Structures are given as C-alpha cells and as structure tokens.
Amino acid sequence: MASRIFDEEQVKKIRKEYKRGKTLKQLAIKYFCCESTIGNIVRCSGAYAQKENK
C-alpha cells in the first residue's frame, strides 16, 4: 500500500473524531490507512508531531 500524507486539516479532523469515540480501526478504514498511522496521528508523534513553541 502506498504512503498517504495527511494535511493539517485532516489531522485535526482525525483527532477530533478519535476524541468523540471512533476507534483506531474505524478511522483507519475511513481514511484508507493502517491503524498504526492513525495511532501516530492521535498521539502527535512521528511526521504528525506538533511544532514546538519556543
């Protein structure tokens, strides 16, 4: 499966849906990616980390 890059708007939407109770599996199916990718997004890690405020 090819890599998928999510823009900031999609990341915000994924995090919001997760907070409202969607599971990682449900989000992975919806956004056509693996659960670990969604897990990285909701935990703010990897390529989806928030920028540091200095």
PDB file of all heavy atoms in Angstrom, residues 10-37:
ATOM      1  N   GLN A  10      -6.824  17.549   7.853  1.00  0.00           N
ATOM      2  CA  GLN A  10      -7.215  16.145   8.021  1.00  0.00           C
ATOM      3  C   GLN A  10      -6.771  15.614   9.378  1.00  0.00           C
ATOM      4  O   GLN A  10      -7.505  14.876  10.029  1.00  0.00           O
ATOM      5  CB  GLN A  10      -6.629  15.285   6.903  1.00  0.00           C
ATOM      6  CG  GLN A  10      -7.257  15.529   5.553  1.00  0.00           C
ATOM      7  CD  GLN A  10      -6.539  14.798   4.457  1.00  0.00           C
ATOM      8  OE1 GLN A  10      -5.312  14.828   4.375  1.00  0.00           O
ATOM      9  NE2 GLN A  10      -7.298  14.135   3.609  1.00  0.00           N
ATOM     10  N   VAL A  11      -5.575  15.984   9.792  1.00  0.00           N
ATOM     11  CA  VAL A  11      -5.057  15.547  11.095  1.00  0.00           C
ATOM     12  C   VAL A  11      -5.968  16.043  12.209  1.00  0.00           C
ATOM     13  O   VAL A  11      -6.340  15.287  13.111  1.00  0.00           O
ATOM     14  CB  VAL A  11      -3.599  16.022  11.297  1.00  0.00           C
ATOM     15  CG1 VAL A  11      -3.145  15.814  12.729  1.00  0.00           C
ATOM     16  CG2 VAL A  11      -2.668  15.305  10.324  1.00  0.00           C
ATOM     17  N   LYS A  12      -6.374  17.301  12.146  1.00  0.00           N
ATOM     18  CA  LYS A  12      -7.282  17.860  13.152  1.00  0.00           C
ATOM     19  C   LYS A  12      -8.602  17.112  13.168  1.00  0.00           C
ATOM     20  O   LYS A  12      -9.152  16.818  14.235  1.00  0.00           O
ATOM     21  CB  LYS A  12      -7.537  19.346  12.883  1.00  0.00           C
ATOM     22  CG  LYS A  12      -6.362  20.233  13.193  1.00  0.00           C
ATOM     23  CD  LYS A  12      -6.675  21.677  12.832  1.00  0.00           C
ATOM     24  CE  LYS A  12      -5.442  22.548  12.968  1.00  0.00           C
ATOM     25  NZ  LYS A  12      -5.715  23.928  12.558  1.00  0.00           N
ATOM     26  N   LYS A  13      -9.109  16.793  11.986  1.00  0.00           N
ATOM     27  CA  LYS A  13     -10.380  16.084  11.874  1.00  0.00           C
ATOM     28  C   LYS A  13     -10.258  14.668  12.462  1.00  0.00           C
ATOM     29  O   LYS A  13     -11.152  14.218  13.185  1.00  0.00           O
ATOM     30  CB  LYS A  13     -10.799  16.012  10.407  1.00  0.00           C
ATOM     31  CG  LYS A  13     -12.178  15.470  10.196  1.00  0.00           C
ATOM     32  CD  LYS A  13     -12.575  15.572   8.732  1.00  0.00           C
ATOM     33  CE  LYS A  13     -13.968  15.009   8.521  1.00  0.00           C
ATOM     34  NZ  LYS A  13     -14.366  15.021   7.131  1.00  0.00           N
ATOM     35  N   ILE A  14      -9.170  13.991  12.169  1.00  0.00           N
ATOM     36  CA  ILE A  14      -8.943  12.636  12.702  1.00  0.00           C
ATOM     37  C   ILE A  14      -8.878  12.674  14.224  1.00  0.00           C
ATOM     38  O   ILE A  14      -9.497  11.859  14.909  1.00  0.00           O
ATOM     39  CB  ILE A  14      -7.668  12.025  12.101  1.00  0.00           C
ATOM     40  CG1 ILE A  14      -7.892  11.715  10.613  1.00  0.00           C
ATOM     41  CG2 ILE A  14      -7.250  10.772  12.865  1.00  0.00           C
ATOM     42  CD1 ILE A  14      -6.631  11.374   9.847  1.00  0.00           C
ATOM     43  N   ARG A  15      -8.123  13.620  14.773  1.00  0.00           N
ATOM     44  CA  ARG A  15      -8.009  13.731  16.232  1.00  0.00           C
ATOM     45  C   ARG A  15      -9.363  14.025  16.877  1.00  0.00           C
ATOM     46  O   ARG A  15      -9.697  13.477  17.924  1.00  0.00           O
ATOM     47  CB  ARG A  15      -6.999  14.816  16.598  1.00  0.00           C
ATOM     48  CG  ARG A  15      -5.587  14.420  16.304  1.00  0.00           C
ATOM     49  CD  ARG A  15      -4.630  15.527  16.638  1.00  0.00           C
ATOM     50  NE  ARG A  15      -3.277  15.127  16.294  1.00  0.00           N
ATOM     51  CZ  ARG A  15      -2.311  15.967  15.983  1.00  0.00           C
ATOM     52  NH1 ARG A  15      -2.531  17.263  15.982  1.00  0.00           N
ATOM     53  NH2 ARG A  15      -1.117  15.515  15.672  1.00  0.00           N
ATOM     54  N   LYS A  16     -10.155  14.883  16.238  1.00  0.00           N
ATOM     55  CA  LYS A  16     -11.474  15.229  16.766  1.00  0.00           C
ATOM     56  C   LYS A  16     -12.387  14.003  16.769  1.00  0.00           C
ATOM     57  O   LYS A  16     -13.063  13.734  17.762  1.00  0.00           O
ATOM     58  CB  LYS A  16     -12.099  16.344  15.924  1.00  0.00           C
ATOM     59  CG  LYS A  16     -13.438  16.822  16.435  1.00  0.00           C
ATOM     60  CD  LYS A  16     -14.050  17.843  15.489  1.00  0.00           C
ATOM     61  CE  LYS A  16     -13.770  19.240  15.996  1.00  0.00           C
ATOM     62  NZ  LYS A  16     -14.484  20.264  15.198  1.00  0.00           N
ATOM     63  N   GLU A  17     -12.373  13.246  15.675  1.00  0.00           N
ATOM     64  CA  GLU A  17     -13.205  12.043  15.597  1.00  0.00           C
ATOM     65  C   GLU A  17     -12.778  11.012  16.639  1.00  0.00           C
ATOM     66  O   GLU A  17     -13.617  10.347  17.242  1.00  0.00           O
ATOM     67  CB  GLU A  17     -13.124  11.430  14.196  1.00  0.00           C
ATOM     68  CG  GLU A  17     -13.826  12.259  13.141  1.00  0.00           C
ATOM     69  CD  GLU A  17     -13.760  11.617  11.776  1.00  0.00           C
ATOM     70  OE1 GLU A  17     -14.186  10.464  11.653  1.00  0.00           O
ATOM     71  OE2 GLU A  17     -13.278  12.282  10.839  1.00  0.00           O
ATOM     72  N   TYR A  18     -11.478  10.899  16.858  1.00  0.00           N
ATOM     73  CA  TYR A  18     -10.963   9.960  17.859  1.00  0.00           C
ATOM     74  C   TYR A  18     -11.431  10.367  19.258  1.00  0.00           C
ATOM     75  O   TYR A  18     -11.873   9.537  20.045  1.00  0.00           O
ATOM     76  CB  TYR A  18      -9.439   9.908  17.792  1.00  0.00           C
ATOM     77  CG  TYR A  18      -8.826   8.932  18.765  1.00  0.00           C
ATOM     78  CD1 TYR A  18      -8.879   7.561  18.523  1.00  0.00           C
ATOM     79  CD2 TYR A  18      -8.195   9.376  19.917  1.00  0.00           C
ATOM     80  CE1 TYR A  18      -8.319   6.661  19.411  1.00  0.00           C
ATOM     81  CE2 TYR A  18      -7.637   8.490  20.805  1.00  0.00           C
ATOM     82  CZ  TYR A  18      -7.690   7.129  20.551  1.00  0.00           C
ATOM     83  OH  TYR A  18      -7.132   6.243  21.445  1.00  0.00           O
ATOM     84  N   LYS A  19     -11.366  11.651  19.552  1.00  0.00           N
ATOM     85  CA  LYS A  19     -11.816  12.144  20.856  1.00  0.00           C
ATOM     86  C   LYS A  19     -13.304  11.919  21.069  1.00  0.00           C
ATOM     87  O   LYS A  19     -13.765  11.766  22.183  1.00  0.00           O
ATOM     88  CB  LYS A  19     -11.493  13.638  21.007  1.00  0.00           C
ATOM     89  CG  LYS A  19     -10.031  13.903  21.229  1.00  0.00           C
ATOM     90  CD  LYS A  19      -9.753  15.391  21.355  1.00  0.00           C
ATOM     91  CE  LYS A  19      -8.275  15.646  21.507  1.00  0.00           C
ATOM     92  NZ  LYS A  19      -7.963  17.070  21.581  1.00  0.00           N
ATOM     93  N   ARG A  20     -14.056  11.901  19.976  1.00  0.00           N
ATOM     94  CA  ARG A  20     -15.508  11.677  20.058  1.00  0.00           C
ATOM     95  C   ARG A  20     -15.864  10.190  20.154  1.00  0.00           C
ATOM     96  O   ARG A  20     -17.038   9.847  20.208  1.00  0.00           O
ATOM     97  CB  ARG A  20     -16.204  12.293  18.857  1.00  0.00           C
ATOM     98  CG  ARG A  20     -16.202  13.801  18.918  1.00  0.00           C
ATOM     99  CD  ARG A  20     -16.959  14.380  17.751  1.00  0.00           C
ATOM    100  NE  ARG A  20     -17.052  15.829  17.895  1.00  0.00           N
ATOM    101  CZ  ARG A  20     -17.409  16.640  16.924  1.00  0.00           C
ATOM    102  NH1 ARG A  20     -17.722  16.155  15.732  1.00  0.00           N
ATOM    103  NH2 ARG A  20     -17.459  17.939  17.123  1.00  0.00           N
ATOM    104  N   GLY A  21     -14.849   9.320  20.117  1.00  0.00           N
ATOM    105  CA  GLY A  21     -15.124   7.904  20.348  1.00  0.00           C
ATOM    106  C   GLY A  21     -14.862   6.934  19.217  1.00  0.00           C
ATOM    107  O   GLY A  21     -15.034   5.731  19.386  1.00  0.00           O
ATOM    108  N   LYS A  22     -14.453   7.421  18.057  1.00  0.00           N
ATOM    109  CA  LYS A  22     -14.125   6.496  16.970  1.00  0.00           C
ATOM    110  C   LYS A  22     -12.877   5.711  17.359  1.00  0.00           C
ATOM    111  O   LYS A  22     -11.968   6.234  17.988  1.00  0.00           O
ATOM    112  CB  LYS A  22     -13.844   7.246  15.670  1.00  0.00           C
ATOM    113  CG  LYS A  22     -15.014   7.945  15.081  1.00  0.00           C
ATOM    114  CD  LYS A  22     -15.752   7.041  14.145  1.00  0.00           C
ATOM    115  CE  LYS A  22     -16.822   7.852  13.434  1.00  0.00           C
ATOM    116  NZ  LYS A  22     -17.543   7.078  12.470  1.00  0.00           N
ATOM    117  N   THR A  23     -12.841   4.444  16.962  1.00  0.00           N
ATOM    118  CA  THR A  23     -11.665   3.618  17.255  1.00  0.00           C
ATOM    119  C   THR A  23     -10.600   3.823  16.186  1.00  0.00           C
ATOM    120  O   THR A  23     -10.877   4.349  15.100  1.00  0.00           O
ATOM    121  CB  THR A  23     -12.041   2.124  17.298  1.00  0.00           C
ATOM    122  OG1 THR A  23     -12.454   1.726  15.978  1.00  0.00           O
ATOM    123  CG2 THR A  23     -13.145   1.853  18.299  1.00  0.00           C
ATOM    124  N   LEU A  24      -9.381   3.378  16.499  1.00  0.00           N
ATOM    125  CA  LEU A  24      -8.301   3.468  15.520  1.00  0.00           C
ATOM    126  C   LEU A  24      -8.671   2.682  14.264  1.00  0.00           C
ATOM    127  O   LEU A  24      -8.421   3.135  13.149  1.00  0.00           O
ATOM    128  CB  LEU A  24      -6.993   2.921  16.110  1.00  0.00           C
ATOM    129  CG  LEU A  24      -6.406   3.668  17.304  1.00  0.00           C
ATOM    130  CD1 LEU A  24      -5.132   2.979  17.771  1.00  0.00           C
ATOM    131  CD2 LEU A  24      -6.140   5.120  16.984  1.00  0.00           C
ATOM    132  N   LYS A  25      -9.273   1.520  14.456  1.00  0.00           N
ATOM    133  CA  LYS A  25      -9.658   0.689  13.318  1.00  0.00           C
ATOM    134  C   LYS A  25     -10.696   1.388  12.443  1.00  0.00           C
ATOM    135  O   LYS A  25     -10.583   1.389  11.213  1.00  0.00           O
ATOM    136  CB  LYS A  25     -10.195  -0.650  13.800  1.00  0.00           C
ATOM    137  CG  LYS A  25     -10.501  -1.604  12.682  1.00  0.00           C
ATOM    138  CD  LYS A  25     -10.859  -2.982  13.203  1.00  0.00           C
ATOM    139  CE  LYS A  25     -11.046  -3.950  12.056  1.00  0.00           C
ATOM    140  NZ  LYS A  25     -11.204  -5.322  12.513  1.00  0.00           N
ATOM    141  N   GLN A  26     -11.701   1.988  13.057  1.00  0.00           N
ATOM    142  CA  GLN A  26     -12.732   2.699  12.297  1.00  0.00           C
ATOM    143  C   GLN A  26     -12.121   3.842  11.488  1.00  0.00           C
ATOM    144  O   GLN A  26     -12.474   4.049  10.325  1.00  0.00           O
ATOM    145  CB  GLN A  26     -13.806   3.248  13.229  1.00  0.00           C
ATOM    146  CG  GLN A  26     -14.688   2.190  13.841  1.00  0.00           C
ATOM    147  CD  GLN A  26     -15.592   2.741  14.918  1.00  0.00           C
ATOM    148  OE1 GLN A  26     -15.218   3.645  15.674  1.00  0.00           O
ATOM    149  NE2 GLN A  26     -16.802   2.190  15.008  1.00  0.00           N
ATOM    150  N   LEU A  27     -11.215   4.581  12.102  1.00  0.00           N
ATOM    151  CA  LEU A  27     -10.585   5.706  11.407  1.00  0.00           C
ATOM    152  C   LEU A  27      -9.664   5.226  10.292  1.00  0.00           C
ATOM    153  O   LEU A  27      -9.603   5.836   9.226  1.00  0.00           O
ATOM    154  CB  LEU A  27      -9.836   6.581  12.404  1.00  0.00           C
ATOM    155  CG  LEU A  27     -10.739   7.345  13.378  1.00  0.00           C
ATOM    156  CD1 LEU A  27      -9.919   7.964  14.496  1.00  0.00           C
ATOM    157  CD2 LEU A  27     -11.545   8.404  12.648  1.00  0.00           C
ATOM    158  N   ALA A  28      -8.959   4.127  10.542  1.00  0.00           N
ATOM    159  CA  ALA A  28      -8.065   3.575   9.516  1.00  0.00           C
ATOM    160  C   ALA A  28      -8.861   3.163   8.279  1.00  0.00           C
ATOM    161  O   ALA A  28      -8.437   3.428   7.146  1.00  0.00           O
ATOM    162  CB  ALA A  28      -7.289   2.392  10.084  1.00  0.00           C
ATOM    163  N   ILE A  29      -9.997   2.544   8.501  1.00  0.00           N
ATOM    164  CA  ILE A  29     -10.847   2.142   7.376  1.00  0.00           C
ATOM    165  C   ILE A  29     -11.360   3.374   6.635  1.00  0.00           C
ATOM    166  O   ILE A  29     -11.316   3.446   5.407  1.00  0.00           O
ATOM    167  CB  ILE A  29     -12.009   1.257   7.864  1.00  0.00           C
ATOM    168  CG1 ILE A  29     -11.458  -0.094   8.337  1.00  0.00           C
ATOM    169  CG2 ILE A  29     -13.060   1.080   6.781  1.00  0.00           C
ATOM    170  CD1 ILE A  29     -12.453  -0.942   9.107  1.00  0.00           C
ATOM    171  N   LYS A  30     -11.819   4.355   7.382  1.00  0.00           N
ATOM    172  CA  LYS A  30     -12.371   5.567   6.774  1.00  0.00           C
ATOM    173  C   LYS A  30     -11.336   6.319   5.933  1.00  0.00           C
ATOM    174  O   LYS A  30     -11.641   6.829   4.860  1.00  0.00           O
ATOM    175  CB  LYS A  30     -12.910   6.489   7.866  1.00  0.00           C
ATOM    176  CG  LYS A  30     -13.502   7.775   7.335  1.00  0.00           C
ATOM    177  CD  LYS A  30     -14.101   8.623   8.425  1.00  0.00           C
ATOM    178  CE  LYS A  30     -14.686   9.906   7.849  1.00  0.00           C
ATOM    179  NZ  LYS A  30     -15.328  10.716   8.873  1.00  0.00           N
ATOM    180  N   TYR A  31     -10.091   6.394   6.439  1.00  0.00           N
ATOM    181  CA  TYR A  31      -9.050   7.177   5.768  1.00  0.00           C
ATOM    182  C   TYR A  31      -8.085   6.324   4.942  1.00  0.00           C
ATOM    183  O   TYR A  31      -7.054   6.816   4.495  1.00  0.00           O
ATOM    184  CB  TYR A  31      -8.292   8.025   6.795  1.00  0.00           C
ATOM    185  CG  TYR A  31      -9.151   9.134   7.348  1.00  0.00           C
ATOM    186  CD1 TYR A  31      -9.828   8.993   8.556  1.00  0.00           C
ATOM    187  CD2 TYR A  31      -9.330  10.311   6.638  1.00  0.00           C
ATOM    188  CE1 TYR A  31     -10.637   9.999   9.058  1.00  0.00           C
ATOM    189  CE2 TYR A  31     -10.133  11.332   7.126  1.00  0.00           C
ATOM    190  CZ  TYR A  31     -10.777  11.171   8.335  1.00  0.00           C
ATOM    191  OH  TYR A  31     -11.585  12.173   8.817  1.00  0.00           O
ATOM    192  N   PHE A  32      -8.424   5.033   4.739  1.00  0.00           N
ATOM    193  CA  PHE A  32      -7.648   4.141   3.876  1.00  0.00           C
ATOM    194  C   PHE A  32      -6.171   4.079   4.266  1.00  0.00           C
ATOM    195  O   PHE A  32      -5.282   4.287   3.434  1.00  0.00           O
ATOM    196  CB  PHE A  32      -7.782   4.551   2.404  1.00  0.00           C
ATOM    197  CG  PHE A  32      -9.192   4.607   1.928  1.00  0.00           C
ATOM    198  CD1 PHE A  32      -9.832   5.823   1.771  1.00  0.00           C
ATOM    199  CD2 PHE A  32      -9.900   3.447   1.674  1.00  0.00           C
ATOM    200  CE1 PHE A  32     -11.151   5.880   1.341  1.00  0.00           C
ATOM    201  CE2 PHE A  32     -11.220   3.497   1.236  1.00  0.00           C
ATOM    202  CZ  PHE A  32     -11.843   4.716   1.080  1.00  0.00           C
ATOM    203  N   CYS A  33      -5.906   3.825   5.547  1.00  0.00           N
ATOM    204  CA  CYS A  33      -4.537   3.666   6.014  1.00  0.00           C
ATOM    205  C   CYS A  33      -4.522   2.615   7.124  1.00  0.00           C
ATOM    206  O   CYS A  33      -5.559   2.053   7.460  1.00  0.00           O
ATOM    207  CB  CYS A  33      -3.978   4.995   6.499  1.00  0.00           C
ATOM    208  SG  CYS A  33      -4.838   5.675   7.921  1.00  0.00           S
ATOM    209  N   CYS A  34      -3.357   2.352   7.686  1.00  0.00           N
ATOM    210  CA  CYS A  34      -3.282   1.339   8.734  1.00  0.00           C
ATOM    211  C   CYS A  34      -3.531   1.976  10.106  1.00  0.00           C
ATOM    212  O   CYS A  34      -3.393   3.182  10.285  1.00  0.00           O
ATOM    213  CB  CYS A  34      -1.959   0.604   8.688  1.00  0.00           C
ATOM    214  SG  CYS A  34      -0.529   1.637   8.930  1.00  0.00           S
ATOM    215  N   GLU A  35      -3.893   1.123  11.055  1.00  0.00           N
ATOM    216  CA  GLU A  35      -4.196   1.605  12.402  1.00  0.00           C
ATOM    217  C   GLU A  35      -3.001   2.294  13.044  1.00  0.00           C
ATOM    218  O   GLU A  35      -3.176   3.260  13.793  1.00  0.00           O
ATOM    219  CB  GLU A  35      -4.654   0.442  13.281  1.00  0.00           C
ATOM    220  CG  GLU A  35      -6.025  -0.076  12.925  1.00  0.00           C
ATOM    221  CD  GLU A  35      -6.447  -1.235  13.802  1.00  0.00           C
ATOM    222  OE1 GLU A  35      -6.411  -1.095  15.040  1.00  0.00           O
ATOM    223  OE2 GLU A  35      -6.803  -2.286  13.242  1.00  0.00           O
ATOM    224  N   SER A  36      -1.793   1.821  12.759  1.00  0.00           N
ATOM    225  CA  SER A  36      -0.611   2.444  13.374  1.00  0.00           C
ATOM    226  C   SER A  36      -0.435   3.887  12.901  1.00  0.00           C
ATOM    227  O   SER A  36       0.020   4.745  13.663  1.00  0.00           O
ATOM    228  CB  SER A  36       0.645   1.620  13.100  1.00  0.00           C
ATOM    229  OG  SER A  36       0.922   1.567  11.723  1.00  0.00           O
ATOM    230  N   THR A  37      -0.811   4.177  11.667  1.00  0.00           N
ATOM    231  CA  THR A  37      -0.738   5.554  11.163  1.00  0.00           C
ATOM    232  C   THR A  37      -1.701   6.447  11.944  1.00  0.00           C
ATOM    233  O   THR A  37      -1.331   7.544  12.372  1.00  0.00           O
ATOM    234  CB  THR A  37      -1.070   5.603   9.661  1.00  0.00           C
ATOM    235  OG1 THR A  37      -0.129   4.797   8.957  1.00  0.00           O
ATOM    236  CG2 THR A  37      -1.039   7.032   9.128  1.00  0.00           C
TER     237      THR A  37
END
